[in-house]
Every structure is written in structure tokens, then in C-alpha cells.
């Protein structure tokens, strides 16, 4: 089909993230024009359930007038102010206070930035600063995990554990190490229970730290539930065992709550759901329900003390972003947090999670589904060519991408990541009826994919 005028202009002008740019020249974009509630509408006026809340972020859905009004009011009052060189403004102060108040661990200070990548980059720079301040200049290596996603700036991409983010970009940088991925379905040994698998992963982490030298390992960073790596829920007891290893070797733990923060798993922060207490936390996305870009690094007193020592020694804390803590973004984030609390959004989302998870688990019966998994209002559906052997499809066949297109035909937006894993993370405001409709549409897309796979014989080894 020829591309529409707007689509043709897109193809000739934009470089899009996360697409095969060559193939995209033929297919063109799906252009979204407006949104309301959990629905978005394309330029033809066709509605879609936004099954991914954008990119795991529009927790309060689209068209929330209170958020619009908060932005407009702040823009009228003070459209920009920065936090450099001792300047400040109300919205940043109030938001930092609010984040300290609701944090799941004791937080001393908050540093604002604009994206999850910037937050995680900042976390690493702060850890390096910390260990210089502590007189431990060798203790600088950072451990993340295979299949982790922490962003794409040079340091964040080094933390990320996905081949597509590394290959030919000359990352990871030296000093970034990837531990094992806590995905039981893919990486547990035969008959290894979740607990046994968790014990082994912790022992492997311990051995890795000992091999590298505990005096060289500064920090461990993890998403409570991995998102872009394929929605991977860690095995039971994983974080408790990992935390014990980190504590033993004086390794600073950062929880990357860019997806899990603000209710995705049914608790305000993901680490609360999974029962661990990190030293530092990164948040972004649902912090403002993605109405405007804003992210935050939440740091403990020990880190703040180090910043004091270093900035006194050097004469300046030489880090900061022009738009970090932007007053309009901060005002919107404050309003979003007010709405989460006042409307009991997270409590209500947690109440709908069992329905979401039951319908997700039912997909395990579908012939194309190797594993359907999730927690709270997040889900991953891993497509396989052979269920018994857990054999994936040949990646070049694009089975997941085709399912995404069939889902679009059914009026549902989902994403495919990490091979052929379909991901679901609808706005937290989705109702029970809408959850059922989302899964009905997904099942129709999976059935169409099955017909296509069978017709084209794509399942053959
Ligand atoms: C867990 C996690 N960390 C960090 C990031 C990077 O955030 P951004 O795209 O805002 O840089 C993402 C983005 O999806 C993420 O899922």
C-alpha cells in the first residue's frame, strides 16, 4: 500500500528509535493524533487500546485535564527556572520533599534530570564520586544484568544488557559487568525450583564479585521487574539473596524504578513489591504520567555526605542538566502524585491485577505462547516455534513484529522486545471491562499470527 502523505514525509525526515530503518521505509509509521483515557486515535480516527501506556509511562491515561491545567498554570506563572549555581523554585522544592516523603527507603536528597537514561548515568557518576570521596578509587566497577534495560546514553547503554543496544555502538564501556539474568523459564536448570535458581544466581554473583575483587566493585543496579528485556519477574527470594551478597561486599544497590515506580507492580515502588531495600532509586516515566519529561535520582545520606566532601574539595559539584527539575515538569509530577494518592490509583490498579494476571496466564494455553508472565499490571508473552522445546522462532521471520501489526488491526497497541516477547503495560486507570477487551483483541491477533505462521511454515526448525 502506498504511504500517506504524512507517512511519506515522516520516512524522509525522521530517524526512529528501535526499528529496522531499512524495512521501515516500506511500512512507514503508525501516526497517532490524539488520546483519551486508555485509547489513542490514529490520523484516520481509528481507536486503539494503548496496551503499553505509551512506553510503560502514561499511567493516568490520556487527556487528564488536571495535569494539563497544572502545566498551563505553571507555564503562565514561571515557564522556566533552573537549579544551577544556587537558584531554585517552588515546584522543584515541593516535588523533592514529596519524593522524600513517599520513598520506600530513607532518602536524603533528590537530584532531578529529564530521562531514565540521565538518571542512571547520574547514579553511576555519583557512585564514582562517592568512592573517590571515601578514598577507594579502585572501587568503580558496576554490575548490572544480562537483559537489563537502563537506557541508551553511553553509561546507561553500558548498564543495559541487550545485544541490540551494544552491537557496533562500542559499548559497554570497560568496568561494566553483566551478571546472570533471573529468568527461570529460560535459564533455570532442569527441575531447579525458583528458590534454587535464586540461590544459584546469588552464588554466581558472589563468585563474580570475588573474581573481579570486591575492592573493585562499586554498585549493583537492577529493575525490580525487567521491562524491555522481556518482562522478567525474578524468581522467589531472588532480591533477598542478591542483597545479602551486595551487603557482604559493600556494594551499593540501585533500584531502577523507571518502569516499576508509581504503581506498575501494585505498590508505589517496585522494590516494595519484591521485598528489598536499595540504597538509591531512579524514577522517571509515570512520575509525571509522561505528560512532560522528568526523572529523579533519590539518594541516601551517605551519598549526600560524599557530594559535600567532593564539592568542597573541587569547589563545585560539576553535574547538572539545563532542564533538570524544570518547573513545569515538576508541577505536573506533583499533580500526578497528588492524583495517585487522592484517587487511590495504585490501590485500585492492584485490585485489578489478579484479573489481568489471570487473563495473561490463560494465554499459556495458546499454541504460539511459550511463557506468559507478569506481575501487577505488566505482562510479557513470549512466542515460540516449539512449546515443548522452548524453541524460539528464527528472529529474521519477524513473528513478534507481525503479531504487533495484527494487534493494530484489532485496535490494540502492544510492543515486541527481546526477540519475540510481546509486552503489555496498560495505563493503571484501565477498568476491568477494558482489561477483558484488551485480552480479547490480543487473542484475535495471536490467532491471526498462528494462521500466518502455519501457512508460511515459519515454525519449522
Ligand atoms: C527500567 C528503565 N530504565 C531506564 C530507561 C531509560 O529511560 P529513557 O528512555 O527515559 O532514557 C527505561 C526506558 O524504557 C527503562 O525501562
Amino acid at each position: 500500500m502506498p504511504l500517506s502523505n504524512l507517512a511519506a514525509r515522516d520516512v524522509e525526515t525522521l530517524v526512529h528509535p528501535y526499528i529496522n530503518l531499512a524495512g521501515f521505509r516500506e511500512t512507514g509509521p503508525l501516526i497517532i493524533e490524539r488520546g483519551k483515557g486508555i485509547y489513542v486515535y490514529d490520523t484516520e480516527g481509528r481507536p486503539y487500546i494503548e496496551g503499553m501506556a505509551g512506553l510503560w509511562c502514561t499511567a493516568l491515561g490520556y487527556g487528564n485535564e488536571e495535569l494539563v491545567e497544572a502545566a498551563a498554570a505553571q507555564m503562565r506563572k514561571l515557564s522556566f527556572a533552573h537549579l544551577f549555581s544556587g537558584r531554585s523554585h517552588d515546584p522543584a522544592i515541593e516535588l523533592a520533599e514529596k519524593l522524600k516523603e513517599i520513598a520506600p527507603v530513607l532518602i536524603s536528597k533528590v537530584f532531578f534530570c529529564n530521562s531514565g537514561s540521565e538518571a542512571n548515568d547520574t547514579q553511576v557518576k555519583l557512585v564514582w564520586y562517592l568512592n573517590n570521596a571515601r578514598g577507594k578509587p579502585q572501587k568503580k566497577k558496576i554490575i548490572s544484568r544480562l537483559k537489563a534495560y537502563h537506557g541508551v546514553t553511553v553509561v546507561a547503554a553500558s548498564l543495559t544488557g541487550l545485544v541490540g543496544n551494544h552491537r557496533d555502538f562500542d559499548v559497554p564501556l570497560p568496568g561494566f559487568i553483566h551478571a546472570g539474568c533471573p529468568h527461570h523459564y529460560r535459564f533455570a536448570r532442569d527441575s531447579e525450583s525458583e528458590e534454587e535458581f535464586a540461590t544459584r544466581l546469588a552464588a554466581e554473583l558472589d563468585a563474580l564479585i570475588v573474581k573481579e575483587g570486591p575492592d573493585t566493585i562499586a554498585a549493583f543496579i537492577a529493575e525490580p521487574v525487567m521491562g524491555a528485556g522481556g518482562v522478567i519477574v525474578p524468581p522467589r527470594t531472588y532480591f533477598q539473596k542478591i542483597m545479602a551478597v551486595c551487603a557482604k561486599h559493600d556494594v551499593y544497590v540501585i533500584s531502577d524504578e523507571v518502569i516499576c515506580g508509581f504503581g506498575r507492580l501494585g505498590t508505589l515502588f517496585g522494590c516494595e513489591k519484591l521485598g528489598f531495600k536499595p540504597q538509591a532509586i531512579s524514577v522517571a516515566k509515570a512520575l509525571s504520567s509522561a505528560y512532560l519529561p522528568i526523572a529523579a535520582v533519590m539518594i541516601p545520606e551517605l551519598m549526600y555526605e560524599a557530594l559535600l566532601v567532593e564539592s568542597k574539595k573541587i569547589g563545585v559539584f560539576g553535574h547538572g542538566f539545563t532542564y533538570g527539575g524544570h518547573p513545569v515538569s515538576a508541577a505536573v509530577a506533583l499533580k500526578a502524585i497528588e492524583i495517585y494518592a487522592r484517587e487511590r490509583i495504585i490501590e485500585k490498579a492492584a485490585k485489578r491485577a489478579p484479573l489481568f494476571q489471570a487473563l495473561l496466564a490463560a494465554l499459556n494455553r495458546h499454541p504460539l505462547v511459550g511463557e506468559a508472565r507478569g506481575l501487577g499490571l505488566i505482562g510479557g508473552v513470549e512466542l515460540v516455534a516449539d512449546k515443548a522445546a522452548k524453541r524460539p522462532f528464527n528472529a529474521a521471520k519477524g513473528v513478534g513484529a507481525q503479531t504487533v501489526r495484527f494487534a493494530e488491526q484489532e485496535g490494540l497497541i502492544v510492543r515486541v522486545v527481546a526477540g519475540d516477547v510481546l509486552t503489555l503495560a496498560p495505563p493503571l486507570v484501565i477498568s476491568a471491562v477494558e482489561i477483558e477487551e484488551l485480552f480479547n483483541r490480543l487473542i484475535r491477533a495471536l490467532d491471526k499470527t498462528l494462521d500466518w505462521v502455519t501457512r508460511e511454515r515459519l515454525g519449522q526448525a
Side-chain angles (χ1 to χ4, degrees), residues 55-56 115-118 120 149-151 223 228 256 258-259 284-285:
L55 286 172
W56 337 79
S115 69
S117 299
E118 286 179 5
N120 291 329
Y149 189 81
H150 298 295
E223 304 153 81
D256 179 348
V258 168
I259 288 180
K285 295 192 190 273

